[in-house]
Amino acid sequence: MTWLGQTWTGLADLVLPGTCAGCGAGGPGALCANCTRLLRGLRAHPVRPTPAPPGLPGCVALGGYEGALREVLLAYKERGRHTLARTLGDLLASAVAAGVRLAGPPAGTPLLLVPVPDTAAAARDRYGDHMLRLARRAAVRLNAAGWPAGLATPLSARPRADSAHLDRAGRADAAAGAFAPRTRELARMAEVAARGAVVVALDDILTTGATLAAVAGRLRASGVPVPLAVVLAATRRRAGSRTPSG
Ligand SMILES: [Zn+2]
């Protein structure tokens, strides 16, 4: 069912006149001019869930999880519109650049980008790890701008049940056991970080912060500090997220 649905969606994207992933308007391309302008106008800003889980790094979000940004993320992640990876990866790169500047290190400090991994099942359903694809694009974009950025995948995601129905404490428990370390890559990362590279954890949406806290905790336990996490969107109700995006 999923396979058929995904295939059909992809096919529809190819052969039917385009609809904007942000607002549904008809027209050429995956995004209309208005939504493109809206997304490009977003400005990364610090966000913090309330309460923040222990060990959560400083977080920066490009925007709130609403409007065109929410629709585009859903279209990319859940409806198989992979052509949006380019736009979203570019937005992620700009959020990383802004986040690092806000966090203190000067522009140009070497970066190690660590996307939160999909479980194998999710990656299968989505025809590939959705954050890995965005992080790869973001790294290319940063490197093209003269900012050295590498991609690291030191964790794999263990199979897990959908956590959407869990409360905050349940999510934190589930997140803590969700990732398995790749020891050799972690050891290499620790060396690179010790020589001044800044590790940045990446995710698409910040809700409770449990996932990013778990990722940072896993890395920290292996001697890899994670001073910063960058997300594309943060859900509202979070302290700081009401900061005007302009
Ligand atoms: Zn639109």
Side-chain angles (χ1 to χ4, degrees):
M1 185 64 196
T2 303
W3 188 85
L4 282 171
Q6 293 273 346
T7 304
W8 172 237
T9 307
L11 185 64
D13 248 5
L14 283 176
V15 301
L16 298 176
T19 54
C20 171
C23 67
L31 276 174
C32 74
N34 192 40
C35 287
T36 301
R37 196 164 44 242
L38 276 172
L39 293 177
R40 286 191 184 150
L42 294 171
R43 294 289 173 262
H45 56 281
V47 288
R48 200 80 189 149
T50 313
L56 182 70
C59 294
V60 164
L62 183 67
Y65 186 50
E66 60 196 13
L69 181 57
R70 178 175 183 275
E71 295 308 314
V72 171
L73 271 170
L74 284 171
Y76 166 66
K77 187 175 168 180
E78 310 297 348
R79 295 197 282 278
R81 294 188 67 171
H82 287 175
T83 52
L84 294 165
R86 207 182 156 95
T87 300
L88 289 172
D90 290 352
L91 290 171
L92 188 61
S94 71
V96 167
V100 172
R101 286 195 191 95
L102 285 170
T109 301
L111 304 178
L112 268 180
L113 307 182
V114 180
V116 171
D118 271 341
T119 61
R124 213 162 38 237
D125 283 351
R126 293 168 182 157
Y127 286 85
D129 186 309
H130 78 291
M131 277 311 299
L132 180 61
R133 195 184 295 115
L134 297 188
R136 194 174 284 137
R137 171 75 189 181
V140 166
R141 187 75 173 181
L142 286 161
N143 281 310
W147 192 328
L151 192 61
T153 54
L155 304 175
S156 61
R158 295 195 173 104
R160 62 178 183 271
D162 183 7
S163 65
H165 64 288
L166 296 175
D167 62 10
R168 187 179 296 274
R171 279 195 183 203
D173 285 346
F179 302 104
R182 295 186 175 121
T183 317
R184 208 172 301 166
E185 182 152 4
L186 275 169
R188 216 164 46 230
M189 282 183 72
E191 277 178 40
V192 175
R195 289 171 193 212
V198 171
V199 176
V200 184
L202 303 176
D203 207 355
D204 49 2
I205 302 157
L206 177 73
T207 48
T208 65
T211 302
L212 285 166
V215 165
R218 272 292 186 190
L219 268 58
R220 208 175 291 121
S222 301
V224 179
V226 183
L228 177 66
V230 173
V231 300
L232 284 167
T235 54
R236 296 289 170 181
R237 299 180 290 114
R238 309 291 161 217
S241 66
R242 288 185 181 280
T243 308
S245 59

